[in-house]
Amino acid sequence: MLLTQNRELKRDGVWNWTLPAWVVELPDGSHFNVCPQAGACAKFCYARNGTYLFPKVRGKHLSNLELAYSPEFGEAMQQELSHKKFRPTGTPREIPGLPTTDHLSDWARFWIEAGGQAVRIHDSGDFFSEAYYNEWVNLAWDFPEILFYAYTKEVTVTKKLEHTFPSNLLICYSMGGREDHLLDPDVDRHADVFPDLEAIEEAGYMSQHESDLLCVLLPTTRVGIPQNNIPHYRKKLDGRTFSEAQRDRRRR
């Protein structure tokens, strides 16, 4: 099985595809950067901590990466997504924290009413190449009843490809990367990590803490994510958001 469900995404009825985070060593001893535009976020990445480091988990993610940059990836994922569990349930989805659906596209409203399935592309890792990104664009076109969504720091390549996206592929930029400065916060949907819910509200952002799907469904371009409770990461951030940490990094 290529697509799995971690504890948090299972609550939301979301399947996820996982790659290792940032720079990894491959079996041949070479190194591969899975998150080319990662910036300050690399120092605080939850996917470089805890269960993600368990040998069995790490091994599965490395295996996924080897498949992702192989010619067999598209066909393998096609076979996976053809399974009946990825078909709409027929029961409307309930999405906690979504205040209205009036702002959504016709496709998104249909998807909610039909009880469509959702795939989060990368609960760690990113679109490490344009060719790999295009594989997911093609998969989204091939499976129009499934919502595919992703957080990404790959601003340049996303803006290059977005005119080719089908309605069921939704992207939320993720702050803390080397291309943060290319984003317009009033136009580009983006997510920033904040110390807590109060800080999210004070900054004029809307929180996605009730459901990960909110990152691409909320009626705003400003999405807030409460910081993970990992003590040494909280200490390093010292009350900053990821975007603030990246600005500090650029000033050095």
Side-chain angles (χ1 to χ4, degrees), residues 28-81:
D28 64 2
S30 63
H31 290 83
F32 191 95
N33 191 345
V34 191
C35 307
Q37 298 304 330
C41 63
K43 293 184 177 181
F44 322 113
C45 180
Y46 67 89
R48 300 178 64 210
N49 184 77
T51 58
Y52 284 83
L53 301 181
F54 291 0
K56 187 175 180 179
V57 174
R58 182 78 166 170
K60 177 64 167 66
H61 296 170
L62 284 169
S63 177
N64 285 352
L65 176 60
E66 290 185 67
L67 176 63
Y69 62 72
S70 77
E72 290 78 32
F73 174 72
E75 183 178 350
M77 195 59 73
Q78 285 263 0
Q79 293 179 4
E80 176 88 353
L81 292 166

Side-chain angles (χ1 to χ4, degrees), residues 42 49-50 52 55 76 93 132 143 152 162 168 179 208 222 229:
N49 184 77
Y52 284 83
R93 270 184 174 266
Y132 170 64
F143 294 91
T152 186
E162 62 186 357
N168 60 320
E179 295 190 321
Q208 54 73 275
R222 292 172 163 85
N229 191 27

